[in-house]
Amino acid sequence: MSATFTVINPATAQPIREIGRASLDEVDDAIARAVRAQRAWAGSAPVARADALRAFARAVEDHVEELAQLEVLNSGHPIGSARWEAAHVAQVLNFYAGAPERLSGQQIPVAGGLDVTFHEPYGVVGIIVPWNFPMTIASWGFAPALAAGNAVVLKPAELTPLTALRLGELALEAGMPEGLFTVVTGSGSVVGQRFVSHPDVRKVVFTGSTGVGTDVAAGCARNLKPVTLELGGKSANIVFDDADLELAAASAPGAVFDNAGQDCCARSRILVQRSVYDRFLELLEPAVRDWQVGDPALESTQMGPLISASHRSTVASFLDGADVAFRGSAPEGDGFWFAPHVVLASPQDRLAQEEVFGPVVAVLPFDDEADGIRLANDTIYGLAGSIWTENLGRAVRVSRAVKSGVLSVNSHSSVRYWTPFGGMKASGLGGELGPDAAEHFTETKNVFFATDAP
Ligand code: TAP
């Protein structure tokens, strides 16, 4: 690769490494190798594919610390989070290693013969991932795609390619066939677009912003190519007056400031019932001030820096004219630091409608259950959300009425690899994870075998 780009440590603003920027010919070469590797892979015994994925998972398990340290360096994730992320990749691989032997078709009753369906792999799957969770989001695509008999070409974000590159090496070291899982570094407009336009890439998985995702989907439509989209969010954390307010307030900073708010599931709008609004803010303030922002290499750190100088400027722009109620702290000096901010907002404010993707949370009051649901649904997004109430009937009613793909009641959990994940409205199309994800990487073939003479 002739052209390169520089990868920066966001905690120090210092360069780490030069990485090659693939040309169109190099992308096409990787896709051609993937086509060849996929034919042999799809033809191998299901148990052989399962064993290969388990070996890949073991290699990742054996390198959790190395991968975690790379993520601290490249993404500024706190070491505790980075270790969780690396271990999660191994768990996702192990989970989908069970899929090759379970991708059963159907036998459908028909007259005069036998009718069966087969789950056929697409062939080559192109996966485009963002910079916020480079390892985990990649694994949600590549593990089920490989399990279903596909080859994968993976494009990490230029800001954060290091763990993806290491995962590519670990796959080879674990014995995965050459060309089956290739990490292609470079820009979205070249590498990502080639995945969209190349006739041999038969499915695209895109995670990123709603704007780019819409263009990727349009390109896939022109090429009659299925696409999964995991996009932005503006998720609501809804606190009713019958909630355990102490618990709701204590957990609210983690729900939005984790990964410095650079999380598609960040609960970046806290909707609080008016009767407990003041009390909730009183409880929230010390929790925000205690939120530990600092050196991501330290075990005690809860939040590191933002990913880049330009992203920090974008996040800062959201505070222009904002009514800041209180804020946490952040280190001074080099690195793309930004303190957590709590802002009082009105429903039509930019801060209440647009994704900040930084540690800024908007707090809004609501009157009653219907008003809370209306406000929760009052954005273009529908990814995640939390509902705090001790009333079971209300918990059920509100969780059915909020138009989001991933909700939790009296907690903020969003991602378990064995349960489905995906957004509604402008937050996405199609889903990932859960028991059926490998099937999403197949197309159904129906075959009728005549048994009776015509
Ligand atoms: P984007 O700018 O959309 O970039 C995402 C990926 O797409 C990067 O790898 C990027 O490559 C690539 N890309 C850029 N332009 C492209 C094009 N024209 N064609 C094909 N690929 C292209 O998003 P981001 O700033 O990295 O990530 C932040 C956004 O992702 C937020 O909105 C966030 O909510 C969303 N996100 C959603 C989820 C889920 S699961 N719903 C998870 C994480 C993030 P380069 O940047 O290397 O050029």
Side-chain angles (χ1 to χ4, degrees):
M1 288 189 211
S2 46
T4 61
F5 59 96
T6 308
V7 178
I8 306 281
N9 179 340
T12 61
Q14 295 303 307
I16 305 169
R17 214 198 277 176
E18 292 292 309
I19 298 289
R21 197 171 252 160
S23 65
L24 269 185
D25 285 347
E26 286 163 328
V27 185
D28 286 359
D29 284 349
I31 294 169
R33 286 196 301 278
V35 168
R36 289 193 293 276
Q38 191 269 335
R39 285 195 198 112
W41 177 246
S44 64
V47 68
R49 277 181 273 140
D51 282 346
L53 288 166
R54 287 190 193 103
F56 185 8
R58 276 195 300 278
V60 174
E61 270 160 15
D62 292 344
H63 293 81
V64 161
E65 189 59 27
E66 181 196 343
L67 288 162
Q69 294 293 349
L70 267 183
E71 209 64 279
V72 171
L73 186 71
N74 190 176
S75 305
H77 292 192
I79 182 65
S81 310
R83 286 191 185 116
W84 182 92
E85 290 159 29
H88 177 88
V89 173
Q91 289 164 343
V92 173
L93 279 165
N94 269 324
F95 182 69
Y96 289 108
E101 292 158 302
R102 291 186 174 87
L103 273 174
S104 314
Q106 289 179 303
Q107 181 267 313
I108 299 169
V110 288
L114 174 70
D115 192 282
V116 291
T117 63
F118 297 92
H119 292 298
E120 303 283 7
Y122 279 106
V124 179
V125 174
I127 300 178
I128 303 169
V129 295
W131 45 261
N132 62 332
F133 288 107
M135 274 189 280
T136 51
I137 291 175
S139 73
W140 302 352
F142 70 67
L146 292 169
N150 300 280
V152 167
V153 281
L154 169 71
K155 192 206 104 54
E158 281 202 321
L159 288 166
T160 57
L162 298 190
T163 47
L165 285 167
R166 188 67 187 115
L167 286 171
E169 291 168 1
L170 289 172
L172 286 176
E173 288 168 24
M176 297 286 285
E178 201 277 329
L180 190 69
F181 172 51
T182 307
V183 179
V184 189
T185 52
S187 74
S189 54
V190 175
V191 181
Q193 274 304 307
R194 192 60 184 141
F195 290 0
V196 172
S197 65
H198 197 295
D200 286 336
V201 176
R202 294 308 316 148
K203 174 166 180 161
V204 171
V205 177
F206 173 86
T207 305
S209 58
T210 298
V212 176
T214 306
D215 287 347
V216 166
C220 286
R222 274 194 296 278
N223 290 282
L224 290 179
K225 194 177 286 196
V227 61
T228 300
L229 300 174
E230 296 289 2
L231 308 174
K234 190 75 197 174
S235 298
N237 177 5
I238 314 169
V239 183
F240 286 97
D241 60 4
D242 59 21
D244 180 335
L245 281 191
E246 280 73 16
L247 199 56
S251 63
V256 58
F257 301 145
D258 187 55
N259 200 20
Q262 304 166 125
D263 182 340
C264 50
C265 294
R267 273 46 166 195
S268 54
R269 290 181 300 150
I270 307 181
L271 313 181
V272 190
Q273 195 155 7
R274 207 176 292 278
S275 48
V276 293
Y277 179 80
D278 290 339
R279 175 72 187 135
F280 181 83
L281 283 173
E282 267 170 33
L283 292 166
L284 182 62
E285 184 165 357
V288 170
R289 293 205 193 282
D290 287 349
W291 188 249
Q292 297 298 306
V293 184
D295 181 354
L298 297 177
E299 305 273 347
S300 56
T301 295
Q302 292 174 294
M303 179 179 132
L306 291 172
I307 193 66
S308 67
S310 97
H311 187 54
R312 183 172 59 180
S313 304
T314 306
V315 171
S317 75
F318 277 89
L319 292 178
D320 291 346
D323 182 2
V324 177
F326 43 88
R327 44 167 286 177
S329 59
E332 302 282 326
D334 294 340
F336 312 124
W337 301 103
F338 201 89
H341 282 71
V342 176
V343 172
L344 309 182
S346 301
Q348 293 317 310
D349 289 351
R350 185 178 170 219
L351 259 169
Q353 292 291 328
E354 294 180 24
E355 185 177 45
V356 181
F357 226 50
V360 180
V361 67
V363 186
L364 297 92
F366 66 89
D367 294 319
D368 54 19
E369 191 177 304
D371 195 33
I373 292 167
R374 184 190 60 75
L375 262 189
N377 288 332
D378 185 30
T379 77
I380 60 168
Y381 296 110
L383 186 51
S386 305
I387 299 154
W388 291 84
T389 176
E390 294 294 303
N391 178 327
L392 178 61
R394 168 171 281 167
V396 173
R397 283 192 301 275
V398 178
S399 56
R400 296 302 302 271
V402 173
K403 292 200 184 312
S404 287
V406 193
L407 291 167
S408 53
V409 175
N410 295 331
S411 82
H412 297 295
S413 77
S414 359
V415 177
R416 293 185 181 84
Y417 54 84
W418 63 101
T419 62
F421 178 87
M424 295 178 173
K425 295 156 68 183
S427 289
L429 208 61
E432 297 191 290
L433 298 177
D436 303 326
E439 262 184 49
H440 300 168
F441 290 96
T442 65
E443 38 198 350
T444 302
K445 179 183 283 176
N446 188 76
V447 183
F448 171 70
F449 297 88
T451 50
D452 300 350

